[in-house]
Amino acid sequence: IEAGWHHTCALTTAGGVNCWGNNHDGQLGDGTEVDRLTPVDVVGLMSRVNAIAAGERHTCALTTAGGVKCWGNNHDGQLGEGTGTDRNTPVDVVGLTSGVTAITAGWRHTCALTTGGGVKCWGNNHDSQLGDGTEADKKTPVDVAGLTSGVNAVAAGRRQTCALTTAGGVKCWGNNHD
């Protein structure tokens, strides 16, 4: 189960995704922008999903094929599909239709752990939470500098991201003001 700002999603035992709550940006993935008091199926994701991640007003799924699909708010490019257009059904993240083992969603950014142990991030980058050495938002995935391999896990916070390395260390980037 994953909770965003005002929406919640669950991964079913059948590998499907159900979401409920606020849907103003299409973050429930049911093809509408209608708030839901009870769970609804995410379009096209009734099976073959391994993991889910919910950001502030967007949601992503990791498929059994190792691909990433996202939907909802896309003002900062956090859906990774190359535009800034909100989507009320899942879309493929550019370049990540396979080869991903884990996903995480922050406030308005998203990151993926690749099968090679690297980290890629996209979306809001105002505090350098994408780790590419800039503060420019990215609408498609970019490599995290220095972490193209050697990572076991990744976790995104509101405006920061951290990685657990294969050596057992932790590396973090982004907002450090709080």
Side-chain angles (χ1 to χ4, degrees):
I1 192 164
E2 281 280 314
W5 189 37
H6 289 140
H7 77 290
T8 307
C9 296
L11 179 61
T12 70
T13 55
V17 183
N18 296 133
C19 297
W20 61 96
N22 182 289
N23 197 24
H24 294 173
D25 297 295
Q27 61 264 47
L28 302 186
D30 68 343
T32 75
E33 286 81 38
V34 176
D35 294 351
R36 304 293 184 171
L37 299 177
T38 58
V40 293
D41 290 331
V42 174
V43 173
L45 294 180
M46 273 64 90
S47 64
R48 296 186 302 275
V49 174
N50 273 347
I52 54 176
E56 179 199 23
R57 293 182 293 167
H58 76 288
T59 314
C60 296
L62 173 62
T63 69
T64 55
V68 182
K69 295 179 178 284
C70 297
W71 59 96
N73 183 284
N74 197 26
H75 297 171
D76 297 315
Q78 61 265 45
L79 302 187
E81 46 76 78
T83 77
T85 304
D86 295 351
R87 306 291 181 167
N88 60 23
T89 59
V91 293
D92 289 326
V93 174
V94 172
L96 295 181
T97 55
S98 65
V100 174
T101 61
I103 56 173
T104 184
W107 181 56
R108 290 187 177 179
H109 76 290
T110 313
C111 296
L113 177 63
T114 68
T115 54
V119 180
K120 293 181 178 283
C121 297
W122 58 95
N124 184 289
N125 199 25
H126 298 172
D127 292 300
S128 300
Q129 62 265 44
L130 302 186
D132 69 339
T134 76
E135 291 183 350
D137 296 349
K138 300 297 187 308
K139 294 178 181 174
T140 58
V142 294
D143 288 327
V144 173
L147 292 180
T148 55
S149 65
V151 175
N152 272 342
V154 62
R158 185 168 188 258
R159 288 187 166 185
Q160 75 279 3
T161 312
C162 294
L164 173 65
T165 68
T166 54
V170 176
K171 296 186 179 212
C172 297
W173 57 96
N175 185 307
N176 195 29
H177 302 136
D178 302 327

